[in-house]
Amino acid sequence: MLKIFVTFLCAIFLSFNLAISNAWATGQFSQTCKDISVNGSTLTATCEQADGYNLSTTSIDLNPYIANLDGTLDWDGDKFALTCDNIGLAGASRLRAECERADGETLLGTYIDLNEHIANINGTLKFE
């Protein structure tokens, strides 16, 4: 009986540790990163590592993950930077760009929230 109880406690402990370590993998990078900037399609930030003390400067190219869909930034596709200009940030996590529409006109001020899919995984920016 004691062996079953100990096994049960170990399982709970392991589950709790997995839940804690996966908490870093839920988007919301801006909550644990600072000095956030965008240059072209590259997002750069200084992010906390899992220990909560050490920081890492990290970058991620957003071009493989974001598309320009008729003048609107969207997570469903890639290569947005080929048809968008004036790419930058509006706040800590909102990407802003001026993107061409299918008819060749430019739509001003399209936005996408990077916190939806960009996470800080132990001091490294990752798409999820």
Side-chain angles (χ1 to χ4, degrees):
M1 182 70 165
L2 181 60
K3 185 176 179 180
I4 292 172
F5 182 72
V6 170
T7 303
F8 176 72
L9 287 177
C10 287
I12 290 175
F13 177 76
L14 287 174
S15 296
F16 181 74
N17 278 342
L18 288 174
I20 295 299
S21 67
N22 286 338
W24 286 83
T26 58
Q28 306 302 323
F29 80 98
S30 69
Q31 293 180 1
T32 55
C33 299
K34 63 181 183 176
D35 302 326
I36 302 166
S37 64
V38 170
N39 184 5
S41 64
T42 302
L43 175 69
T44 302
T46 301
C47 299
E48 292 178 11
Q49 294 179 6
D51 63 12
Y53 298 104
N54 293 308
L55 300 172
S56 299
T57 299
T58 178
S59 297
I60 185 171
D61 184 6
L62 300 171
N63 218 27
Y65 311 109
I66 300 174
N68 170 11
L69 298 181
D70 197 26
T72 303
L73 295 174
D74 194 280
W75 290 109
D76 189 23
D78 61 2
K79 299 181 178 133
F80 79 98
L82 295 176
T83 55
C84 297
D85 292 317
N86 299 320
I87 301 166
L89 289 174
S93 68
R94 286 182 62 196
L95 184 70
R96 179 194 183 283
E98 296 172 1
C99 299
E100 289 181 18
R101 294 179 45 177
D103 62 10
E105 293 184 25
T106 299
L107 179 65
L108 299 178
T110 179
Y111 300 87
I112 194 166
D113 187 358
L114 298 176
N115 272 333
E116 293 174 2
H117 287 283
I118 304 299
N120 170 13
I121 309 296
N122 193 26
T124 302
L125 294 174
K126 299 281 186 182
F127 174 82
E128 57 177 19

mmCIF file of all heavy atoms in Angstrom, residues 75-106:
data_model
loop_
_atom_site.group_PDB
_atom_site.id
_atom_site.type_symbol
_atom_site.label_atom_id
_atom_site.label_comp_id
_atom_site.label_asym_id
_atom_site.label_seq_id
_atom_site.Cartn_x
_atom_site.Cartn_y
_atom_site.Cartn_z
ATOM 1 N N TRP A 75 -1.661 34.628 -39.532
ATOM 2 C CA TRP A 75 -0.799 33.507 -39.163
ATOM 3 C C TRP A 75 -0.889 32.367 -40.171
ATOM 4 O O TRP A 75 -0.087 31.443 -40.132
ATOM 5 C CB TRP A 75 -1.173 32.977 -37.774
ATOM 6 C CG TRP A 75 -0.824 33.910 -36.669
ATOM 7 C CD1 TRP A 75 -1.691 34.629 -35.899
ATOM 8 C CD2 TRP A 75 0.488 34.245 -36.194
ATOM 9 N NE1 TRP A 75 -0.996 35.385 -34.987
ATOM 10 C CE2 TRP A 75 0.340 35.158 -35.150
ATOM 11 C CE3 TRP A 75 1.770 33.854 -36.566
ATOM 12 C CZ2 TRP A 75 1.419 35.693 -34.458
ATOM 13 C CZ3 TRP A 75 2.853 34.382 -35.879
ATOM 14 C CH2 TRP A 75 2.675 35.281 -34.838
ATOM 15 N N ASP A 76 -1.839 32.387 -41.046
ATOM 16 C CA ASP A 76 -2.060 31.287 -41.987
ATOM 17 C C ASP A 76 -1.262 31.503 -43.270
ATOM 18 O O ASP A 76 -1.811 31.887 -44.301
ATOM 19 C CB ASP A 76 -3.553 31.160 -42.297
ATOM 20 C CG ASP A 76 -3.873 29.907 -43.080
ATOM 21 O OD1 ASP A 76 -3.097 28.946 -43.018
ATOM 22 O OD2 ASP A 76 -4.910 29.893 -43.764
ATOM 23 N N GLY A 77 0.052 31.301 -43.209
ATOM 24 C CA GLY A 77 0.890 31.463 -44.387
ATOM 25 C C GLY A 77 2.274 31.948 -44.027
ATOM 26 O O GLY A 77 2.707 31.833 -42.888
ATOM 27 N N ASP A 78 2.970 32.499 -45.036
ATOM 28 C CA ASP A 78 4.333 32.945 -44.816
ATOM 29 C C ASP A 78 4.699 34.065 -45.790
ATOM 30 O O ASP A 78 3.886 34.479 -46.600
ATOM 31 C CB ASP A 78 5.313 31.780 -44.935
ATOM 32 C CG ASP A 78 5.301 31.116 -46.310
ATOM 33 O OD1 ASP A 78 4.559 31.566 -47.206
ATOM 34 O OD2 ASP A 78 6.044 30.144 -46.487
ATOM 35 N N LYS A 79 5.902 34.568 -45.667
ATOM 36 C CA LYS A 79 6.520 35.536 -46.570
ATOM 37 C C LYS A 79 5.825 36.908 -46.623
ATOM 38 O O LYS A 79 5.814 37.571 -47.646
ATOM 39 C CB LYS A 79 6.629 34.945 -47.968
ATOM 40 C CG LYS A 79 7.486 33.708 -48.002
ATOM 41 C CD LYS A 79 7.614 33.155 -49.393
ATOM 42 C CE LYS A 79 8.515 31.947 -49.345
ATOM 43 N NZ LYS A 79 8.008 30.820 -50.057
ATOM 44 N N PHE A 80 5.292 37.349 -45.504
ATOM 45 C CA PHE A 80 4.628 38.651 -45.472
ATOM 46 C C PHE A 80 5.554 39.792 -45.856
ATOM 47 O O PHE A 80 5.130 40.781 -46.463
ATOM 48 C CB PHE A 80 4.013 38.921 -44.083
ATOM 49 C CG PHE A 80 5.007 39.379 -43.047
ATOM 50 C CD1 PHE A 80 5.148 40.726 -42.756
ATOM 51 C CD2 PHE A 80 5.808 38.474 -42.360
ATOM 52 C CE1 PHE A 80 6.059 41.160 -41.801
ATOM 53 C CE2 PHE A 80 6.708 38.887 -41.406
ATOM 54 C CZ PHE A 80 6.844 40.240 -41.130
ATOM 55 N N ALA A 81 6.832 39.678 -45.523
ATOM 56 C CA ALA A 81 7.764 40.789 -45.736
ATOM 57 C C ALA A 81 8.003 41.089 -47.213
ATOM 58 O O ALA A 81 8.479 42.171 -47.552
ATOM 59 C CB ALA A 81 9.078 40.512 -45.026
ATOM 60 N N LEU A 82 7.655 40.158 -48.090
ATOM 61 C CA LEU A 82 7.834 40.394 -49.525
ATOM 62 C C LEU A 82 6.861 41.435 -50.069
ATOM 63 O O LEU A 82 7.154 42.099 -51.069
ATOM 64 C CB LEU A 82 7.671 39.084 -50.308
ATOM 65 C CG LEU A 82 8.713 38.010 -50.025
ATOM 66 C CD1 LEU A 82 8.373 36.734 -50.802
ATOM 67 C CD2 LEU A 82 10.105 38.503 -50.384
ATOM 68 N N THR A 83 5.709 41.588 -49.429
ATOM 69 C CA THR A 83 4.675 42.500 -49.928
ATOM 70 C C THR A 83 4.235 43.517 -48.881
ATOM 71 O O THR A 83 3.195 44.164 -49.051
ATOM 72 C CB THR A 83 3.448 41.708 -50.408
ATOM 73 O OG1 THR A 83 2.989 40.861 -49.344
ATOM 74 C CG2 THR A 83 3.788 40.861 -51.627
ATOM 75 N N CYS A 84 5.005 43.658 -47.811
ATOM 76 C CA CYS A 84 4.684 44.638 -46.763
ATOM 77 C C CYS A 84 5.875 45.562 -46.542
ATOM 78 O O CYS A 84 7.023 45.146 -46.661
ATOM 79 C CB CYS A 84 4.334 43.937 -45.456
ATOM 80 S SG CYS A 84 2.868 42.891 -45.527
ATOM 81 N N ASP A 85 5.591 46.815 -46.217
ATOM 82 C CA ASP A 85 6.607 47.819 -45.922
ATOM 83 C C ASP A 85 6.332 48.426 -44.558
ATOM 84 O O ASP A 85 5.289 48.190 -43.957
ATOM 85 C CB ASP A 85 6.591 48.928 -46.977
ATOM 86 C CG ASP A 85 7.054 48.447 -48.331
ATOM 87 O OD1 ASP A 85 8.050 47.709 -48.388
ATOM 88 O OD2 ASP A 85 6.408 48.814 -49.332
ATOM 89 N N ASN A 86 7.273 49.253 -44.105
ATOM 90 C CA ASN A 86 7.131 49.968 -42.827
ATOM 91 C C ASN A 86 6.748 49.014 -41.703
ATOM 92 O O ASN A 86 5.832 49.278 -40.926
ATOM 93 C CB ASN A 86 6.136 51.117 -42.958
ATOM 94 C CG ASN A 86 6.599 52.129 -43.973
ATOM 95 O OD1 ASN A 86 7.785 52.447 -44.052
ATOM 96 N ND2 ASN A 86 5.680 52.616 -44.790
ATOM 97 N N ILE A 87 7.455 47.905 -41.626
ATOM 98 C CA ILE A 87 7.200 46.882 -40.610
ATOM 99 C C ILE A 87 7.798 47.357 -39.290
ATOM 100 O O ILE A 87 8.935 47.807 -39.239
ATOM 101 C CB ILE A 87 7.832 45.540 -41.040
ATOM 102 C CG1 ILE A 87 7.241 45.083 -42.380
ATOM 103 C CG2 ILE A 87 7.636 44.480 -39.962
ATOM 104 C CD1 ILE A 87 8.018 43.972 -43.049
ATOM 105 N N GLY A 88 7.018 47.274 -38.242
ATOM 106 C CA GLY A 88 7.483 47.704 -36.930
ATOM 107 C C GLY A 88 6.564 47.204 -35.843
ATOM 108 O O GLY A 88 5.704 46.354 -36.071
ATOM 109 N N LEU A 89 6.743 47.746 -34.653
ATOM 110 C CA LEU A 89 5.921 47.366 -33.508
ATOM 111 C C LEU A 89 4.994 48.508 -33.111
ATOM 112 O O LEU A 89 5.364 49.672 -33.190
ATOM 113 C CB LEU A 89 6.794 47.002 -32.308
ATOM 114 C CG LEU A 89 7.569 45.700 -32.402
ATOM 115 C CD1 LEU A 89 8.490 45.561 -31.199
ATOM 116 C CD2 LEU A 89 6.632 44.509 -32.493
ATOM 117 N N ALA A 90 3.819 48.146 -32.684
ATOM 118 C CA ALA A 90 2.871 49.069 -32.064
ATOM 119 C C ALA A 90 2.633 48.511 -30.663
ATOM 120 O O ALA A 90 1.823 47.609 -30.483
ATOM 121 C CB ALA A 90 1.575 49.143 -32.859
ATOM 122 N N GLY A 91 3.412 48.944 -29.708
ATOM 123 C CA GLY A 91 3.386 48.349 -28.381
ATOM 124 C C GLY A 91 4.404 47.224 -28.308
ATOM 125 O O GLY A 91 5.204 47.032 -29.222
ATOM 126 N N ALA A 92 4.356 46.459 -27.243
ATOM 127 C CA ALA A 92 5.368 45.424 -27.021
ATOM 128 C C ALA A 92 5.177 44.193 -27.899
ATOM 129 O O ALA A 92 6.136 43.509 -28.217
ATOM 130 C CB ALA A 92 5.365 44.997 -25.558
ATOM 131 N N SER A 93 3.934 43.910 -28.303
ATOM 132 C CA SER A 93 3.713 42.641 -28.994
ATOM 133 C C SER A 93 2.905 42.733 -30.287
ATOM 134 O O SER A 93 2.653 41.711 -30.918
ATOM 135 C CB SER A 93 3.023 41.650 -28.055
ATOM 136 O OG SER A 93 1.706 42.068 -27.779
ATOM 137 N N ARG A 94 2.495 43.917 -30.672
ATOM 138 C CA ARG A 94 1.700 44.043 -31.906
ATOM 139 C C ARG A 94 2.604 44.428 -33.070
ATOM 140 O O ARG A 94 3.214 45.491 -33.075
ATOM 141 C CB ARG A 94 0.603 45.089 -31.740
ATOM 142 C CG ARG A 94 -0.533 44.598 -30.861
ATOM 143 C CD ARG A 94 -1.640 45.592 -30.732
ATOM 144 N NE ARG A 94 -2.221 45.853 -32.040
ATOM 145 C CZ ARG A 94 -3.007 46.895 -32.305
ATOM 146 N NH1 ARG A 94 -3.293 47.761 -31.371
ATOM 147 N NH2 ARG A 94 -3.497 47.071 -33.498
ATOM 148 N N LEU A 95 2.649 43.547 -34.078
ATOM 149 C CA LEU A 95 3.395 43.820 -35.297
ATOM 150 C C LEU A 95 2.516 44.666 -36.207
ATOM 151 O O LEU A 95 1.336 44.383 -36.387
ATOM 152 C CB LEU A 95 3.759 42.505 -36.000
ATOM 153 C CG LEU A 95 4.622 42.633 -37.238
ATOM 154 C CD1 LEU A 95 6.036 43.070 -36.851
ATOM 155 C CD2 LEU A 95 4.661 41.310 -37.994
ATOM 156 N N ARG A 96 3.108 45.724 -36.754
ATOM 157 C CA ARG A 96 2.389 46.632 -37.639
ATOM 158 C C ARG A 96 3.110 46.658 -38.970
ATOM 159 O O ARG A 96 4.329 46.615 -39.031
ATOM 160 C CB ARG A 96 2.372 48.047 -37.070
ATOM 161 C CG ARG A 96 1.660 49.042 -37.946
ATOM 162 C CD ARG A 96 1.944 50.483 -37.544
ATOM 163 N NE ARG A 96 1.192 51.412 -38.356
ATOM 164 C CZ ARG A 96 1.493 51.759 -39.605
ATOM 165 N NH1 ARG A 96 2.553 51.254 -40.199
ATOM 166 N NH2 ARG A 96 0.751 52.611 -40.271
ATOM 167 N N ALA A 97 2.325 46.729 -40.055
ATOM 168 C CA ALA A 97 2.922 46.831 -41.380
ATOM 169 C C ALA A 97 1.917 47.465 -42.346
ATOM 170 O O ALA A 97 0.716 47.501 -42.081
ATOM 171 C CB ALA A 97 3.324 45.459 -41.889
ATOM 172 N N GLU A 98 2.442 47.972 -43.452
ATOM 173 C CA GLU A 98 1.618 48.453 -44.553
ATOM 174 C C GLU A 98 1.772 47.429 -45.670
ATOM 175 O O GLU A 98 2.864 47.260 -46.214
ATOM 176 C CB GLU A 98 2.086 49.832 -45.009
ATOM 177 C CG GLU A 98 1.927 50.881 -43.926
ATOM 178 C CD GLU A 98 2.557 52.210 -44.294
ATOM 179 O OE1 GLU A 98 3.114 52.337 -45.407
ATOM 180 O OE2 GLU A 98 2.499 53.120 -43.451
ATOM 181 N N CYS A 99 0.696 46.732 -45.984
ATOM 182 C CA CYS A 99 0.775 45.589 -46.890
ATOM 183 C C CYS A 99 -0.058 45.798 -48.143
ATOM 184 O O CYS A 99 -1.150 46.369 -48.089
ATOM 185 C CB CYS A 99 0.306 44.326 -46.184
ATOM 186 S SG CYS A 99 1.305 43.901 -44.749
ATOM 187 N N GLU A 100 0.465 45.302 -49.267
ATOM 188 C CA GLU A 100 -0.247 45.386 -50.539
ATOM 189 C C GLU A 100 -1.464 44.481 -50.523
ATOM 190 O O GLU A 100 -1.426 43.382 -49.993
ATOM 191 C CB GLU A 100 0.658 44.940 -51.692
ATOM 192 C CG GLU A 100 1.754 45.891 -52.028
ATOM 193 C CD GLU A 100 2.589 45.389 -53.200
ATOM 194 O OE1 GLU A 100 2.127 44.511 -53.952
ATOM 195 O OE2 GLU A 100 3.720 45.890 -53.340
ATOM 196 N N ARG A 101 -2.513 44.968 -51.151
ATOM 197 C CA ARG A 101 -3.694 44.148 -51.373
ATOM 198 C C ARG A 101 -3.538 43.450 -52.721
ATOM 199 O O ARG A 101 -2.663 43.786 -53.515
ATOM 200 C CB ARG A 101 -4.938 45.013 -51.354
ATOM 201 C CG ARG A 101 -5.192 45.621 -49.968
ATOM 202 C CD ARG A 101 -6.380 46.473 -49.940
ATOM 203 N NE ARG A 101 -7.489 45.824 -50.644
ATOM 204 C CZ ARG A 101 -8.698 46.322 -50.728
ATOM 205 N NH1 ARG A 101 -8.978 47.479 -50.182
ATOM 206 N NH2 ARG A 101 -9.651 45.693 -51.369
ATOM 207 N N ALA A 102 -4.387 42.494 -52.986
ATOM 208 C CA ALA A 102 -4.317 41.737 -54.240
ATOM 209 C C ALA A 102 -4.485 42.650 -55.458
ATOM 210 O O ALA A 102 -3.906 42.390 -56.509
ATOM 211 C CB ALA A 102 -5.374 40.641 -54.251
ATOM 212 N N ASP A 103 -5.227 43.751 -55.304
ATOM 213 C CA ASP A 103 -5.429 44.673 -56.418
ATOM 214 C C ASP A 103 -4.291 45.683 -56.562
ATOM 215 O O ASP A 103 -4.345 46.581 -57.396
ATOM 216 C CB ASP A 103 -6.769 45.392 -56.282
ATOM 217 C CG ASP A 103 -6.872 46.251 -55.027
ATOM 218 O OD1 ASP A 103 -5.841 46.458 -54.333
ATOM 219 O OD2 ASP A 103 -7.987 46.709 -54.713
ATOM 220 N N GLY A 104 -3.245 45.524 -55.747
ATOM 221 C CA GLY A 104 -2.074 46.393 -55.841
ATOM 222 C C GLY A 104 -2.121 47.618 -54.961
ATOM 223 O O GLY A 104 -1.140 48.338 -54.844
ATOM 224 N N GLU A 105 -3.235 47.901 -54.326
ATOM 225 C CA GLU A 105 -3.338 49.041 -53.420
ATOM 226 C C GLU A 105 -2.695 48.680 -52.083
ATOM 227 O O GLU A 105 -2.530 47.519 -51.742
ATOM 228 C CB GLU A 105 -4.796 49.426 -53.196
ATOM 229 C CG GLU A 105 -5.469 49.972 -54.437
ATOM 230 C CD GLU A 105 -6.885 50.433 -54.156
ATOM 231 O OE1 GLU A 105 -7.194 50.765 -53.005
ATOM 232 O OE2 GLU A 105 -7.663 50.457 -55.117
ATOM 233 N N THR A 106 -2.330 49.694 -51.313
ATOM 234 C CA THR A 106 -1.727 49.461 -50.007
ATOM 235 C C THR A 106 -2.752 49.732 -48.922
ATOM 236 O O THR A 106 -3.457 50.727 -48.953
ATOM 237 C CB THR A 106 -0.505 50.385 -49.807
ATOM 238 O OG1 THR A 106 0.456 50.085 -50.806
ATOM 239 C CG2 THR A 106 0.117 50.174 -48.436
#
